[in-house]
Amino acid sequence: MDFVLPPDLAALEARTAAFVREEVLPFEADPRRTAHGPTDDLRRDLVAKAHAAGLLSPHVPKAWGGLGLSHLGKAVVFEAAGYSMLGPIALAIAAPDEGNMHLLAEVASEAQKARYLAPMAAGETRSCFLMTEPHPGAGADPSLLKTTAVKDGDDFVIDGLKWLITGAEGAAFAIIMARTLVDGRDVGATMFLADLPVAGVRIVRALDTLDSSFTGGHAEVALENLRVPASDVLGVVGEGFRYAQARLVPARLTHCMRWLGAARRAHDIATDYAGRREAFGGTLLSHEGVGFMLADNLIDLHTTRLAIRHAAWLLDQGEKANVESSMVKVFASEAIFRIVDRSLQVLGGLGMTRDTEVERIFRDVRGFRIYDGPSEVHRWNIARRLARAASAKALPEVRAA
């Protein structure tokens, strides 16, 4: 693995960083940043600026209007964009759209790409992903999926209840995961595409959540006798769980990339303050109690970046990187929270206010240890792999005995 960035990628990183600094940061005080995320009006203004700068949808294949970045390229550019929590909104690389665009590029038919991917890559529309369900449905355990899609002639009729659906309010379409019944037989989970708004999809309520940086917020969504034609199946019937994995592995890594940028922003704000604020005969930074926290921040930033780029490099080599992405997701989500927590602590009372971005970053980043698989679930999956590997090594010895 070569740690030197190609000149074109280094230049793109610098362009993205300058764009965020000069064009995006001024919008952070915009009143259109609401408790349920940036409004669509604000999103459109940001997207227009990214489009003018030639930075829109850098992750999308060039054939569909993007820059066709590799996974390593995403790691570099997404971190630079994440320096402001509005940066991913501007570049159209925020969740859930970024993951949905990747999924569409990999699985959708050419007609579906033209209908759904192209306008989203152009920043004209956004989407939502309907998978998570309230108890007793699917959450971290997808096998508990309760939403059903029953084959009825040339259509599927979908019923179920979804929640924590990011961006549902105002989305142009949804990707829906449902357990599929054909002639009374469960054939597995399938993904369906549905234009919004449409009869059969109802937003029950907007959820008040700790975070506030996703356009459209989070919602509970009811699917009631939703009729979807077979032509709007995404991919192959019964392959939904496989596609979900293809979406979630890169998506959990891109979350790490974006949040690393936000953590670096919190650290920079805290370091600047600690270098100016005086107490007890010197600047805060001159006192070990503060200096050591900021030093630990640098250690976490560096090791997180290395872990992300290694996993991205593996994906670029054609590896599945399931274990590595799980390890990175756990480490990054916890390290990034430590960085932001220390940064808020260094700021003291100022950190509790909205006079800096750190307070908002702190609230938003807490959820990262939960979504795309809680740390505990990833650790459990890693441990299960360890157990299987240990059993496989022990088997020959048992048989020889």
Side-chain angles (χ1 to χ4, degrees):
M1 182 177 180
D2 189 349
F3 290 93
V4 178
L5 294 180
D8 59 337
L9 184 54
L12 184 59
E13 177 186 30
R15 274 210 300 133
T16 305
F19 170 76
V20 170
R21 226 175 19 249
E22 297 163 11
E23 300 288 352
V24 177
L25 262 59
F27 281 92
E28 289 182 341
D30 196 298
R32 292 174 294 176
R33 295 181 82 187
T34 75
H36 290 165
T39 65
D40 271 304
D41 186 50
L42 175 55
R43 183 190 71 84
R44 284 189 287 269
D45 285 351
L46 290 166
V47 163
K49 290 188 174 293
H51 184 268
L55 294 172
L56 189 63
S57 300
H59 58 303
V60 172
K62 291 180 181 180
W64 296 101
L67 299 181
L69 289 182
S70 65
H71 291 284
L72 179 60
K74 293 177 195 176
V76 173
V77 172
F78 283 28
E79 179 186 341
Y83 197 72
S84 169
M85 287 187 291
L86 291 176
I89 301 290
L91 270 65
I93 59 171
D97 289 339
E98 179 267 325
N100 287 347
M101 283 190 254
H102 172 78
L103 178 64
L104 289 168
E106 292 291 320
V107 177
S109 67
E110 293 303 301
Q112 289 170 339
K113 289 176 185 176
R115 181 176 170 186
Y116 296 107
L117 177 58
M120 190 158 50
E124 298 167 3
T125 61
R126 57 180 181 80
S127 61
C128 58
F129 188 70
L130 275 65
M131 181 170 178
T132 306
E133 301 169 337
H135 178 77
D141 184 354
S143 69
L144 297 176
L145 190 66
K146 303 300 182 190
T147 300
T148 58
V150 180
K151 188 77 163 62
D152 182 28
D154 293 331
D155 299 337
F156 290 87
V157 178
I158 304 177
D159 289 279
L161 183 63
K162 304 289 187 178
W163 84 315
L164 289 171
I165 304 305
T166 304
E169 185 67 53
F173 71 94
I175 300 174
I176 303 167
M177 179 82 88
R179 188 171 297 282
T180 313
L181 301 173
V182 178
D183 297 328
R185 185 171 63 91
D186 187 338
V187 297
T190 301
M191 289 186 178
F192 300 88
L193 293 159
D195 291 306
L196 297 175
V198 66
V201 178
R202 177 171 60 89
I203 294 180
V204 178
R205 61 185 175 123
L207 300 169
D208 292 319
T209 59
L210 193 64
D211 65 334
S212 58
S213 289
F214 296 96
T215 304
H218 311 284
E220 183 174 341
V221 180
L223 302 168
E224 301 163 326
N225 199 36
L226 172 65
R227 188 167 287 271
V228 177
S231 59
D232 286 343
V233 168
L234 180 57
V236 178
V237 171
E239 294 292 321
F241 285 138
R242 184 167 68 86
Y243 299 147
Q245 191 67 13
R247 178 190 185 276
L248 292 173
V249 169
R252 73 172 66 112
L253 199 58
T254 52
H255 271 308
C256 299
M257 300 166 186
R258 291 185 292 260
W259 281 119
L260 180 60
R264 186 160 54 86
R265 174 76 178 288
H267 170 75
D268 286 353
I269 292 171
T271 302
D272 176 70
Y273 179 76
R276 293 183 290 104
R277 177 66 161 157
E278 294 193 358
F280 305 108
T283 63
L284 293 180
L285 192 53
S286 69
H287 299 296
E288 287 183 352
V290 171
F292 282 11
M293 282 193 285
L294 295 173
D296 284 340
N297 275 2
L298 281 180
I299 293 167
D300 275 339
L301 285 166
H302 180 66
T303 50
T304 301
R305 184 175 297 111
L306 288 176
I308 290 170
R309 293 190 182 185
H310 175 251
W313 177 80
L314 286 174
L315 288 172
D316 284 335
Q317 307 312 303
E319 301 287 339
K320 291 184 178 179
N322 289 344
V323 174
E324 289 81 5
S325 71
S326 284
M327 290 192 293
V328 173
K329 202 277 180 179
V330 172
F331 180 81
S333 64
E334 296 180 358
I336 286 168
F337 183 78
R338 290 194 299 267
I339 294 163
V340 179
D341 183 57
R342 291 188 202 110
S343 299
L344 193 150
Q345 187 72 16
V346 168
L347 291 170
L350 177 63
M352 298 294 293
T353 73
R354 296 185 182 176
D355 286 0
T356 78
E357 274 289 293
V358 175
E359 180 270 346
R360 186 188 289 265
I361 295 171
F362 180 86
R363 284 188 289 110
D364 277 55
V365 80
R366 179 57 183 85
F368 185 26
R369 285 160 53 197
I370 296 172
Y371 54 67
D372 272 359
S375 295
E376 293 74 18
V377 171
H378 285 292
R379 284 189 168 97
W380 177 63
N381 281 327
I382 294 167
R384 284 198 306 166
R385 287 176 179 267
L386 283 172
R388 287 198 296 269
S391 297
K393 289 179 181 178
L395 277 175
E397 297 176 8
V398 172
R399 288 176 180 173

